Amino acid sequence: MSITLINLPHFLCRMKLAFILLIATVSSELDINLPADLLSDLVERSEDNELAYSLAEGEEEEEPYKYVINYEGTIDDFSGINASYGKCGKEIEQLDVSKMKAPHQIRLSYTGKATEMAITWTTNDTTEHEQVNYGLMMTELNYTSTSISHQYKWRFNETSKEWYYTSGFIHEALMINLIPGRIHYYQIESNGMKSEIIKFVAAPEEGSDIPVSFLHVGDVGTFGTSVMVTNDMMKRMEVKQFHGMIHCGDISYANKYDGERPMDAKNKTFAEQKVWDTWGQMVEPVGSKMAYMAVPGNHELDIWDSTNENGTIYAKRFIMPGNERYFSFAVGMVHFVAVSTDESIDAESTQGQWFKNILTEVNENRDKWPWLVVFQHRPIYNSNKNHGNWTGKNNYSTPFNPVHKGWPDNFEELIVENNVNFVLAGHVHHYERSWPVRNREDVLLSYDNVDRPVHITCGHAGKGLYQRMWDFADRNTYDDKAPRFSAARDNENWGHCELDFIDTKTAKHRMYLMGNDTPTEEVTITRSGARRLTLSVILLVVGFVTSLLTDR
């Protein structure tokens, strides 16, 4: 029996409506549904009732386009990497999305419900048959979810009267009725082709005490080092079951000039949207098998740094809960809260009010979610001299350099008050782990019975490392003594991080350097049992005391 799901959730509908809002450099085409008479000219049914392309008379079939990423490569196999100076080298070959017929750039994401998993993929064209089939067994993919499809164009060339870039068709669907904590299988049918059958694990039911494991990275890009770090995570997935990935911003660097991209003469920028496709394909072995949860960084959201992407491309390519820039979701006994560091978070701001409300709600239910994790792009605790501790204002001068209020004062007050356990970040291209800390100087030099946040910056997942100071190239970014809050730091090696929530009291943090199959760091953290009483407990105590007084 096949069940077709036609009622899309509010968050998907909202996303597609948002695409109607155009900015000067972006054009969007929505919900591609070709009429049946046109489809009959484009496709034909083969004997096994599968979609097949029909070639025009005299047309020769082209050699299938192949795109291969050298995951097993070493530093010597990629051009321009210099580990001694933290240089990540040139970007890998860019994918040509116009030639990719098969479903690719496949990526899963959580919606906030343990019974759901969102999915997105890309093809170079569409048919009337765009869906994902899924179920509990590889041989019984009994559920079907149809997708919605969209496409966008980037930068119009007035001379050639052509768009600088046209995306593939980005498809989005929702798998529902999942069984929390169970393995599921899915296969995409799209553009007349099928993906392989892929498995994933649905989120454990909220409040369950099932161990939860996540990978987390930041500042990745599409460089040789990015590929090697991704390969390390792929190898870890072969020996360990992860529930998801946290990507703390600066995702593809599609806007960032590295000396190799063609220049857009009209706009005087080196933005290259193909890099988004390359990155999407590079991380597919990870994102197709677990929820890939991302938050935008300055290279996706900041108007100056993102070459006017302004978050629009991030929104077109990712499916995140809420408004997609700041949101929350739960996985078993862990509640994750994502915040946008390129927006204000003071008490008067929309994000600040939302942040306070969601932290309060979670903290009043710590019996259900004993672990509370905040993830973001820019860290408020950082000892690398190339980026100061995030205060809400960039330390460089640009035509557009706004002040984002509430960093770090209101933000830290809220995470301390609400017993946040971990704050994960990127932005600074190094690795750093703090001691449990609050108010800059109040440091606990132990991970036992922790009652304040531990800050972990994992910004060494692919982009060039911050070894030398921007202003003084002969000086190391660590030339000063590490501040008291800094427990460990590394600006000489790329790598990735992992967090295991073993039970309601114990978590384990690991950091793997690139190319290593054993962790360089493995730290066990036990959280304090002290937490604020929930409202229900307070009412129970008040009621008990009242009854005693009444009896007297």
Side-chain angles (χ1 to χ4, degrees):
M1 178 179 67
S2 179
I3 302 173
T4 300
L5 310 177
I6 59 174
N7 294 319
L8 294 173
H10 173 71
F11 82 94
L12 281 178
C13 294
R14 178 197 51 73
M15 282 181 60
K16 298 289 89 67
L17 288 175
F19 292 156
I20 298 175
L21 302 176
L22 304 181
I23 61 174
T25 56
V26 176
S27 173
S28 181
E29 297 176 16
L30 307 179
D31 299 347
I32 307 301
N33 292 305
L34 299 178
D37 57 345
L38 179 57
L39 283 169
S40 64
D41 295 331
L42 297 179
V43 298
E44 65 179 3
R45 294 286 182 182
S46 58
E47 293 182 358
D48 59 358
N49 204 36
E50 296 294 335
L51 287 175
Y53 281 89
S54 180
L55 297 175
E57 184 177 352
E59 182 181 352
E60 295 184 3
E61 187 170 5
E62 294 182 1
E63 186 73 20
Y65 173 68
K66 295 181 180 180
Y67 180 76
V68 178
I69 295 175
N70 183 17
Y71 289 107
E72 295 293 338
T74 65
I75 284 179
D76 294 334
D77 297 314
F78 295 100
S79 177
I81 298 175
N82 189 327
S84 299
Y85 290 90
K87 295 181 179 180
C88 57
K90 298 179 180 179
E91 292 171 313
I92 62 175
E93 179 186 354
Q94 293 182 7
L95 179 148
D96 187 346
V97 73
S98 69
K99 297 179 180 179
M100 292 288 283
K101 294 181 179 180
H104 64 289
Q105 301 184 55
I106 304 168
R107 196 168 57 249
L108 303 172
S109 56
Y110 289 129
T111 69
K113 295 182 179 180
T115 57
E116 296 179 349
M117 186 73 80
I119 182 170
T120 180
W121 69 90
T122 303
T123 58
N124 68 350
D125 207 344
T126 59
T127 67
E128 86 279 17
H129 197 63
E130 306 290 341
Q131 64 187 47
V132 57
N133 306 315
Y134 61 99
L136 290 169
M137 299 177 64
M138 291 183 68
T139 56
E140 297 183 11
L141 305 180
N142 294 330
Y143 291 90
T144 294
S145 176
T146 56
S147 72
I148 53 177
S149 308
H150 63 92
Q151 195 175 27
Y152 73 88
K153 300 177 186 293
W154 180 259
R155 297 198 182 283
F156 188 70
N157 188 317
E158 293 290 351
T159 302
S160 66
K161 302 301 180 182
E162 295 178 346
W163 288 93
Y164 183 61
Y165 170 85
T166 300
S167 74
F169 288 86
I170 301 171
H171 311 272
E172 299 174 351
L174 182 70
M175 294 181 280
I176 68 172
N177 294 330
L178 305 180
I179 300 178
R182 288 282 300 275
I183 291 176
H184 293 72
Y185 298 86
Y186 71 89
Q187 183 178 47
I188 295 169
E189 291 186 61
S190 182
N191 198 25
M193 305 187 76
K194 292 182 179 181
S195 72
E196 63 179 347
I197 297 176
I198 306 172
K199 76 173 183 177
F200 69 93
V201 176
E205 190 172 2
E206 292 185 23
S208 68
D209 57 1
I210 296 174
V212 171
S213 296
F214 268 74
L215 297 159
H216 68 99
V217 296
D219 306 77
V220 176
T222 59
F223 307 92
T225 47
S226 316
V227 174
M228 288 188 283
V229 171
T230 301
N231 186 50
D232 288 343
M233 293 187 288
M234 290 161 55
K235 289 181 177 179
R236 289 289 296 146
M237 292 166 61
E238 294 175 359
V239 298
K240 180 179 177 62
Q241 179 66 64
F242 292 92
H243 291 90
M245 158 70 82
I246 297 293
H247 192 142
C248 295
D250 282 8
I251 299 168
S252 75
Y253 289 91
N255 70 290
K256 189 69 174 177
Y257 169 61
D258 73 342
E260 296 299 317
R261 298 180 190 169
M263 185 174 182
D264 178 357
K266 177 179 182 295
N267 296 284
K268 304 298 183 185
T269 68
F270 294 87
E272 179 54 85
Q273 290 293 303
K274 285 184 178 180
V275 179
W276 273 115
D277 300 312
T278 305
W279 174 85
Q281 190 61 19
M282 183 190 76
V283 301
E284 183 187 82
V286 177
S288 63
K289 298 177 178 66
M290 67 174 75
Y292 201 110
M293 307 303 291
V295 67
N298 53 295
H299 286 285
E300 288 80 46
L301 195 59
D302 181 89
I303 289 177
W304 181 257
D305 282 335
S306 67
T307 320
N308 294 320
E309 280 190 0
N310 306 343
T312 53
I313 306 306
Y314 165 82
K316 293 176 185 300
R317 290 180 177 267
F318 287 85
I319 309 174
M320 294 294 129
N323 70 8
E324 300 184 289
R325 303 187 316 281
Y326 49 88
F327 52 87
S328 75
F329 61 95
V331 181
M333 58 183 165
V334 188
H335 204 107
F336 294 90
V337 180
V339 293
S340 172
T341 49
D342 279 87
E343 300 178 57
S344 293
I345 201 165
D346 61 313
E348 286 72 41
S349 67
T350 302
Q351 180 176 223
Q353 294 171 8
W354 170 86
F355 189 50
K356 179 178 181 179
N357 291 340
I358 194 65
L359 289 186
T360 301
E361 177 185 343
V362 174
N363 204 45
E364 289 178 347
N365 290 277
R366 293 306 279 270
D367 52 340
K368 185 176 183 180
W369 300 302
W371 293 102
L372 178 53
V373 179
V374 171
F375 66 99
Q376 61 200 60
H377 181 55
R378 304 180 193 245
I380 64 167
Y381 282 92
N382 159 43
S383 68
N384 189 294
K385 285 193 171 182
N386 277 357
H387 276 307
N389 304 304
W390 181 231
T391 62
K393 183 177 176 63
N394 287 307
N395 57 2
Y396 53 78
S397 177
T398 70
F400 180 82
N401 194 11
V403 176
H404 304 297
K405 299 179 181 179
W407 302 97
D409 47 4
N410 189 60
F411 173 78
E412 183 166 44
E413 180 180 339
L414 289 174
I415 62 174
V416 170
E417 176 186 343
N418 289 282
N419 304 308
V420 169
N421 303 110
F422 294 97
V423 179
L424 311 181
H427 190 57
V428 185
H429 299 177
H430 76 158
Y431 163 75
E432 186 159 19
R433 166 176 51 84
S434 81
W435 290 111
V437 59
R438 61 189 177 195
N439 301 325
R440 314 306 303 173
E441 300 297 331
D442 188 355
V443 179
L444 179 65
L445 300 178
S446 169
Y447 291 106
D448 294 329
N449 201 35
V450 173
D451 65 350
R452 62 202 69 178
V454 174
H455 296 255
I456 300 172
T457 297
C458 191
H460 62 330
K463 197 66 172 74
L465 299 171
Y466 289 165
Q467 293 182 358
R468 302 292 172 181
M469 291 179 60
W470 294 329
D471 298 337
F472 305 94
D474 60 334
R475 292 175 59 184
N476 193 294
T477 54
Y478 291 170
D479 68 349
D480 284 350
K481 181 181 178 181
R484 180 175 170 81
F485 68 75
S486 182
R489 59 182 185 171
D490 185 339
N491 68 351
E492 296 183 352
N493 299 279
W494 291 273
H496 78 274
C497 296
E498 300 176 7
L499 266 179
D500 289 342
F501 299 92
I502 298 169
D503 55 40
T504 60
K505 295 281 291 184
T506 309
K508 186 163 288 191
H509 159 71
R510 298 184 183 89
M511 190 273 283
Y512 286 78
L513 293 182
M514 186 178 75
N516 292 355
D517 56 6
T518 57
T520 301
E521 287 197 352
E522 187 166 355
V523 179
T524 299
I525 301 98
T526 59
R527 68 181 188 88
S528 171
R531 61 178 184 267
R532 297 192 314 181
L533 293 175
T534 65
L535 180 60
S536 59
V537 173
I538 294 173
L539 292 175
L540 182 63
V541 172
V542 171
F544 178 71
V545 172
T546 302
S547 65
L548 287 178
L549 294 175
T550 302
D551 290 343
R552 293 180 62 184

